Amino acid sequence: MQSFRTEIENPIVQKDIIELEAKIRQFHDGKLDEEKFRSLRLARGVYGQRQEGVQMIRIKLPYGKVKSKQLLRICDVSDEYSRGRLHITTRQDIQIHYVDLNRTPELWAELEKDDVTLREACGNTVRNVTASETAGIDVDEPFDVSPYAHALFEYFLRNPISQEMGRKFKVSFSSSDADTGLSYMHDLGFIAKIENGVRGFKVMLGGGLGSQPRHADELYSFLPTDKIIPLMDGVVRVFDRYGERKSRAKARMKFLLKDIGLDGFKELLEAEQKAVPVKTYPIHYESYPQVKVANIETPSVEVQNTKAFEQWKATNLVPQKQEGYVAIGIKVLLGDFYTDKARELARLVEKYAAGELRLSLRQNILIPYVKEELIPFFYVELEKLGFVEAGYNKALDITACPGTDTCNLGISSSTGIADELEKVIKAEYPQYINNPDVVIKISGCMNACGQHNMANIGFQGMSVRTKDKLVAPALQVLLGGGNLGNGQGRFADKVVKIPSKRGPQALRLILNDFEANGNGASFVDYYAEKGEHYFYDILKVLTDVDNLTPEDFIDWGTTEKYKKEIGIGECAGVVIDLIATLFFESQEKIENAEEAIKEQKWAASIYYSYTSMVNSAKALLTAENVKTNTHAGIIKDFDTTFVESEKIDFIGTFTELVLQLNKNEPTEVFAKSYLEDAKQVLAKLESFRQLELVADK
């Protein structure tokens, strides 16, 4: 493996990559526990794939914005280290697959040459900050949310308060009350508002999808823009301390809100305010890079198929608030496209538009700042690339996660059934190519990476067992979800479970009924009027598994008999409970705290010291088989188990010592004294552990 000490200019990035390289070596040499190594690589965008021996790499692209030169760099990396396929996710990232673990440091180094990062694209971190793909051009937006999304991304990248939480943390920004950033299903969602001439956001807290979707609570009806980063700093601190860590199924923000309620959360948030290093964080949107549109003479072109051109214009052009410009939507089937086409697209946008693309939450591509007179030219050029399929963000535009293609957690194929449903719509319901109202989404399992449970019509990968104990791929059909705007939404009801091969027939029954009886209503309203039992009666005929044919035991997109195989899920990260590893981590965090003090980053140093003390306490509690579900529980239980019983001598309590964190301002004096406390705690607890081991021999 190659060294990168002289290849990366940014010393912080260089340190990251060198550390990943070193950890890979330690892992191969048997010096690093597999679970610990998994946690570390996930936080660096390296995700285990369903296929053994290869990795999925997730490339973090804040709010889906990617410059032409960045896309070209990603293409080079994909060709060199992967197979030339790029996959757009529902969080506006790009994933590449089948990457050799040993080559991930050099892959990362190549990406960083054009300011593209893997850092915190996976793992128990603040994930990619998403936003409306029309941010900055939205005809209804009060202001461009891009500078605010970017500032938040930069603030939390490598921030010690958000590196090892119990689970991932997701944030979104919506340009307008249409809430196209889907704030109601995020841990924190921001909707742009202006009140009395002041920019700000409506703030939604504690939403989520998965097997138990939860609608976010309104935390603020209006919060000025300079308060959003201090707010999130406090929210993350509360989640880090009180959020579940042992049970991954209960470790999201939504479960913490469910347990303690919004008022209880606000009390904990208030208790953290002294520790938050910034009380106000002005975001200077005026300094955000200005758009530069190419000034070039309009080439003369002739459109061959005028009918197809008019259809494309009706569905794929997005109005833009800047006069004389439109945005062009590219429908990307299942979010997959290839580097040969991507390169041509990047060059086209660089030469004739603003040199940037937006990746959408529906796995598509938007080209902003296309001059109106260039529309025919772009159509002709995009047609050469196969990028002019009509139906951008319409019913035909189905969202699907990778499912059993590459994901460890996939239960049944999501891409295969998505492809089949698009064929059904094109052939039998062509009017839906123009219909923006019916939203169809598919996930390969309950974790909702395809966002199936917020769709009008959703499908979730499952399996079904016959009386003879034969297992076939299945789909849970969900109906009635939808985005209602301004932070309001509905989650879909689980209506029936059917064999996967009956998915197309289910869609036909649903659309046929809607066509016959909808009377111009939206699908969401029509479903609300009819209700779950009405649609259950329509679809019940498809649920019988006593009459399955051999074809029903073969999943979409494959020729082999179905076999339910679920690996270890990595999207949520893992819990490390090995005692020696925990003490090792505590020492690393103390070293990080010392480094932060040298850099005069007092708040960062304090948090490293805090996590070192909690880690050390967790090590001893683990040795006693005491549950270590939350940081707050660890602190309390350490007092009960070791201090009150006088097994370990403390002046005062461990709680008082550790929670100096939120009783003091993050000053230099406190950072240095708190670091000394952390060093003493580690030394005392390691000494206790060694005496225990000697006594056990």
Side-chain angles (χ1 to χ4, degrees), residues 147-350:
Y148 307 95
H150 195 83
L152 190 142
F153 153 72
E154 289 186 325
Y155 183 91
F156 286 96
L157 188 70
R158 299 183 177 86
N159 193 314
I161 69 173
S162 56
Q163 295 305 300
E164 297 177 355
M165 298 180 290
R167 282 289 295 272
K168 55 194 171 186
F169 191 98
K170 296 182 177 180
V171 189
S172 77
F173 284 80
S174 288
S175 291
S176 70
D177 286 357
D179 196 15
T180 50
L182 307 175
S183 68
Y184 66 94
M185 47 163 271
H186 278 78
D187 295 302
L188 263 182
F190 298 98
I191 305 173
K193 303 279 186 181
I194 289 182
E195 285 193 4
N196 300 319
V198 176
R199 292 184 173 197
F201 294 94
K202 180 177 184 176
V203 184
M204 306 297 293
L205 173 74
L209 294 178
S211 60
Q212 299 180 55
R214 182 183 190 274
H215 195 293
D217 296 317
E218 182 183 307
L219 184 59
Y220 291 99
S221 60
F222 182 82
L223 186 72
T225 58
D226 65 323
K227 298 294 185 182
I228 64 170
I229 284 178
L231 167 69
M232 184 164 155
D233 189 300
V235 167
V236 168
R237 287 168 183 268
V238 171
F239 178 55
D240 192 38
R241 184 165 309 129
Y242 296 95
E244 171 70 34
R245 288 174 177 270
K246 195 74 172 178
S247 171
R248 290 190 299 171
K250 297 181 179 179
R252 291 296 301 274
M253 172 70 80
K254 62 184 179 181
F255 293 107
L256 179 59
L257 264 292
K258 182 180 178 181
D259 288 343
I260 66 176
L262 184 59
D263 288 340
F265 189 90
K266 287 179 177 178
E267 290 178 10
L268 295 178
L269 188 59
E270 180 60 32
E272 293 299 314
Q273 292 312 297
K274 270 195 174 181
V276 174
V278 289
K279 310 309 175 189
T280 181
Y281 195 97
I283 297 168
H284 302 291
Y285 63 89
E286 303 93 341
S287 62
Y288 186 75
Q290 296 297 306
V291 172
K292 295 181 180 178
V293 182
N295 186 16
I296 193 166
E297 186 176 340
T298 304
S300 177
V301 296
E302 183 178 346
V303 176
Q304 298 297 321
N305 188 335
T306 56
K307 183 178 179 182
F309 178 51
E310 293 303 319
Q311 171 66 79
W312 175 81
K313 285 200 297 182
T315 61
N316 292 49
L317 296 187
V318 177
Q320 189 166 321
K321 69 180 183 181
Q322 289 81 4
E323 188 176 352
Y325 293 95
V326 297
I328 294 177
I330 297 175
K331 181 179 175 298
V332 183
L333 179 62
L334 305 177
D336 291 336
F337 65 123
Y338 292 83
T339 54
D340 56 343
K341 306 292 180 62
R343 281 193 178 87
E344 293 302 315
L345 180 63
R347 294 177 183 126
L348 177 67
V349 168
E350 180 69 27

Side-chain angles (χ1 to χ4, degrees), residues 244-480:
E244 171 70 34
R245 288 174 177 270
K246 195 74 172 178
S247 171
R248 290 190 299 171
K250 297 181 179 179
R252 291 296 301 274
M253 172 70 80
K254 62 184 179 181
F255 293 107
L256 179 59
L257 264 292
K258 182 180 178 181
D259 288 343
I260 66 176
L262 184 59
D263 288 340
F265 189 90
K266 287 179 177 178
E267 290 178 10
L268 295 178
L269 188 59
E270 180 60 32
E272 293 299 314
Q273 292 312 297
K274 270 195 174 181
V276 174
V278 289
K279 310 309 175 189
T280 181
Y281 195 97
I283 297 168
H284 302 291
Y285 63 89
E286 303 93 341
S287 62
Y288 186 75
Q290 296 297 306
V291 172
K292 295 181 180 178
V293 182
N295 186 16
I296 193 166
E297 186 176 340
T298 304
S300 177
V301 296
E302 183 178 346
V303 176
Q304 298 297 321
N305 188 335
T306 56
K307 183 178 179 182
F309 178 51
E310 293 303 319
Q311 171 66 79
W312 175 81
K313 285 200 297 182
T315 61
N316 292 49
L317 296 187
V318 177
Q320 189 166 321
K321 69 180 183 181
Q322 289 81 4
E323 188 176 352
Y325 293 95
V326 297
I328 294 177
I330 297 175
K331 181 179 175 298
V332 183
L333 179 62
L334 305 177
D336 291 336
F337 65 123
Y338 292 83
T339 54
D340 56 343
K341 306 292 180 62
R343 281 193 178 87
E344 293 302 315
L345 180 63
R347 294 177 183 126
L348 177 67
V349 168
E350 180 69 27
K351 187 173 182 180
Y352 292 99
E356 71 172 62
L357 301 162
R358 308 284 180 83
L359 308 180
S360 83
L361 297 172
R362 291 180 69 167
Q363 302 175 287
N364 290 320
I365 296 171
L366 188 70
I367 305 173
Y369 291 98
V370 175
K371 293 178 181 178
E372 290 178 344
E373 60 266 27
L374 283 172
I375 292 173
F377 169 74
F378 264 86
Y379 178 80
V380 170
E381 293 301 308
L382 292 174
E383 186 178 28
K384 296 174 186 176
L385 302 177
F387 283 155
V388 291
E389 184 172 350
Y392 177 82
N393 282 356
K394 304 301 186 290
L396 181 62
D397 197 353
I398 297 175
T399 301
C401 69
T404 50
D405 290 356
T406 54
C407 179
N408 273 323
L409 293 177
I411 298 175
S412 69
S413 173
S414 45
T415 57
I417 182 63
D419 190 33
E420 196 65 26
L421 295 184
E422 288 211 0
K423 291 177 183 176
V424 169
I425 294 174
K426 285 179 184 177
E428 303 173 33
Y429 304 91
Q431 66 273 31
Y432 280 83
I433 294 175
N434 297 295
N435 188 324
D437 179 55
V438 176
V439 177
I440 303 172
K441 294 177 178 285
I442 306 170
S443 299
C445 74
M446 66 181 180
N447 285 306
C449 293
Q451 302 175 341
H452 63 274
N453 44 15
M454 55 80 62
N456 303 155
I457 303 172
F459 297 91
Q460 174 195 327
M462 306 187 82
S463 63
V464 65
R465 189 181 295 270
T466 69
K467 291 179 180 178
D468 299 327
K469 297 185 178 179
L470 298 174
V471 181
L475 294 168
Q476 178 83 57
V477 181
L478 301 93
L479 298 172

